[in-house]
């Protein structure tokens, strides 16, 4: 007989222990305590095996959100790598760099801090746990519990299921975690948020969300402390002028350097490989000189929501709210979202308190959250950059012109709302696009400066239980070796930064898609960029995935 499904109940359930989710829990606990509701229960669900394991960001941190959440955050021991001491912006060609004599205001970071978000959430989670919030790490949300059109909690994934979907000896059914309010704080392209947006039509009338993928490494470079607090942003090489994105180098504490490349997931070249572009980025003299003599210590990748104000889904629903990256809260001009995540978490906590007081969790009551967001500095900040990403649809140079115009017109530019389309629709079919490189050519990774994907995955600490259902569900696998090979050349082999997908030929000469799911670093690029939208990323068994440290 299969074990019975356990049911547990909380007043408020937060899915995701990133900055937004932890801000909800921290602020709501305080509000409840102050209003004499100490008995109200809050739980946070986190799919990483421990808090922070799946958290990665650049990150130059604007303290505006944390200053409001916890004015004494620095004296409470928040881990900070450095105050920003210098800003530099360069345009790169393959060999040369051209420094901007004046740093554009959105890229000025005086008063900001360089942090490891991964360390930051670990610190914040301790304070949240100390304030009597239950945090369940290692549990993924497999599905939403919906009754009479209202979300009433989350069912966690089953544990102990084999690759064929059969229960193993250690089988444990997922738990039904029921809650009066469910707050989704899953990060970009959250799997529950995706289900919810589709089911409730929360994106109707909005621009489609568009994303970038950020690929990052941390290096230990002896002597680099001398430049602690230096922030470098780049445009140009290795991206073509039609490709959105740029690079960053941040000098952290203890001789550590954080560097990465952000690549817009709305590129045209079906063979574009963001990981390969990142390796080319490191070969540029500017980047090479920042890490020369050092060693790679950590690697990771994540999707970033870039669509801005017009692409934010409706952030409330019957029984809950959507916060942080899941709600598309990112200032893509500044490439910053942590402060917005923290603030949205605080506002969600305030809306939650009002709903609990009236014991009303209907959509019309939860709409209060949207009102709070629109009355806050989140709206002010995002409104001023509402057309930023869309301005780059025709490439870097026109994008910079649009950005300048938008800065002069409080975000308007040439029209109040620029048109947008999902990034995967911009990918060209192979016959229409001259190959940017020969995908069959041998790539020379020297394993000193440049690394192949598998070496990088090793440095992400990624591990999954091997004997479990594949968590990358290809809805029409026959399409891969027929239409996709012919039309796009199987771009999943290139856009995945963790070498999960490859085309293999069997003894009969038939080709088929092979999926090394255990390499997956949970960046969601495949779910976003697949041209046929037939890859569905679902959470693997709880606890599986990267084990990010210091990212
Ligand atoms: Fe990212 Fe998908 Fe590759 Fe996993 S399989 S690392 S989610 S692109």
């Amino acid at each position: 007989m299969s074990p019975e499904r356990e049911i547990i109940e909380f007043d408020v359930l937060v899915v995701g222990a990133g900055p937004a989710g932890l801000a909800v829990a921290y602020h709501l606990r305080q509000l409840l305590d102050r209003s004499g509701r100490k008995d109200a229960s809050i739980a946070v669900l986190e799919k990483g095996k421990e808090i922070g394991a799946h958290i990665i960001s650049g990150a130059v941190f604007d303290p505006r959100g944390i200053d409001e959440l916890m004015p004494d955050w620095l004296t409470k021991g928040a881990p900070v790598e450095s105050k920003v001491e210098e800003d530099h912006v360069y345009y790169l060609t393959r060999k040369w760099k051209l420094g901007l004599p004046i740093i554009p205001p959105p890229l000025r970071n005086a008063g900001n801090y360089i942090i490891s978000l991964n360390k930051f959430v670990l610190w914040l989670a301790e304070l949240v746990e100390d304030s009597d919030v239950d945090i369940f790490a290692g549990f993924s949300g497999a599905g939403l519990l919906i009754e009479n059109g209202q979300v009433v909690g989350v069912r966690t994934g089953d544990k102990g299921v084999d690759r064929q979907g059969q229960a193993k000896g250690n089988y444990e059914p997922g738990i039904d975690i029921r809650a009066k309010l469910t707050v989704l704080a899953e990060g970009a392209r959250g799997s529950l948020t995706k289900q919810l947006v589709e089911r409730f039509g929360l994106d109707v009338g909005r621009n489609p969300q568009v994303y970038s993928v950020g690929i990052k490494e941390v290096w230990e470079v002896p002597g680099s402390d001398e430049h602690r607090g230096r922030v470098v942003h780049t445009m140009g090489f290795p991206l073509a002028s039609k490709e959105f994105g740029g690079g960053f180098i941040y000098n952290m504490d203890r001789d550590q350097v954080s560097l990465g490349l952000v690549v817009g997931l709305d590129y045209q070249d079906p063979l574009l490989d963001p990981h390969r572009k990142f390796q080319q980025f490191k070969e540029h003299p500017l980047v090479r000189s920042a890490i020369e003599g050092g060693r790679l210590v950590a690697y990771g990748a994540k999707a970033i929501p870039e669509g801005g104000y017009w692409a934010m889904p409706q952030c409330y629903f019957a029984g809950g709210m959507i916060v942080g990256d899941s709600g598309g809260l990112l200032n893509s001009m500044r490439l910053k979202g942590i402060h917005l995540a923290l603030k949205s978490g605080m506002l969600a906590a305030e809306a939650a308190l009002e709903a609990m007081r009236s014991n009303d969790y209907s959509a019309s009551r939860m709409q209060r959250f949207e009102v709070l967001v629109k009355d806050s500095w989140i709206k002010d900040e995002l409104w001023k950059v509402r057309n930023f990403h869309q301005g780059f649809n025709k490439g870097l140079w026109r994008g910079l012109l649009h950005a300048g115009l938008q800065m002069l017109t409080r975000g308007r530019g040439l029209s109040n709302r620029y048109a947008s389309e999902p990034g995967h629709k911009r990918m060209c079919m192979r016959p229409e696009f001259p190959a940017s490189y020969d995908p069959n050519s041998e790539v020379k990774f020297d394993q000193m400066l440049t690394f192949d994907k598998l070496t990088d995955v090793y440095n992400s600490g990624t591990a999954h239980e091997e004997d479990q259902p594949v968590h990358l569900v290809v809805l029409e696998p026959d399409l891969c070796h027929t239409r996709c090979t012919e039309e796009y050349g199987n771009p999943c082999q290139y856009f995945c930064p963790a070498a999960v997908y490859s085309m293999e030929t069997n003894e009969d000469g038939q080709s088929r898609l092979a999926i090394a799911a255990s390499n997956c670093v949970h960046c969601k690029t495949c779910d976003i960029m697949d041209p046929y939208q037939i890859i569905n990323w679902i959470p693997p068994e709880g606890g599986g995935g990267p084990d990010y440290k210091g990212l």
Side-chain angles (χ1 to χ4, degrees), residues 227-256:
H227 301 294
R228 186 169 170 243
R230 181 173 66 180
V231 166
V232 175
H233 287 114
T234 71
M235 299 175 280
F237 180 83
L239 298 172
S241 68
K242 281 196 168 161
E243 292 156 3
F244 179 84
F248 63 86
I249 309 168
Y250 305 148
N251 279 77
M252 306 197 290
D253 196 10
R254 294 178 307 286
D255 283 341
Q256 293 210 326

Side-chain angles (χ1 to χ4, degrees), residues 507-526:
E507 289 161 358
D508 302 334
Q510 303 275 317
S511 103
R512 67 169 195 104
L513 179 68
I515 302 178
S518 54
N519 290 349
C520 176
V521 296
H522 296 200
C523 73
K524 317 285 178 69
T525 300
C526 52

Side-chain angles (χ1 to χ4, degrees), residues 471-472 495-501 519-527 535 537:
H471 71 277
L472 301 145
F495 59 55
C496 170
V500 168
Y501 301 100
N519 290 349
C520 176
V521 296
H522 296 200
C523 73
K524 317 285 178 69
T525 300
C526 52
D527 193 292
I535 300 178
W537 188 98

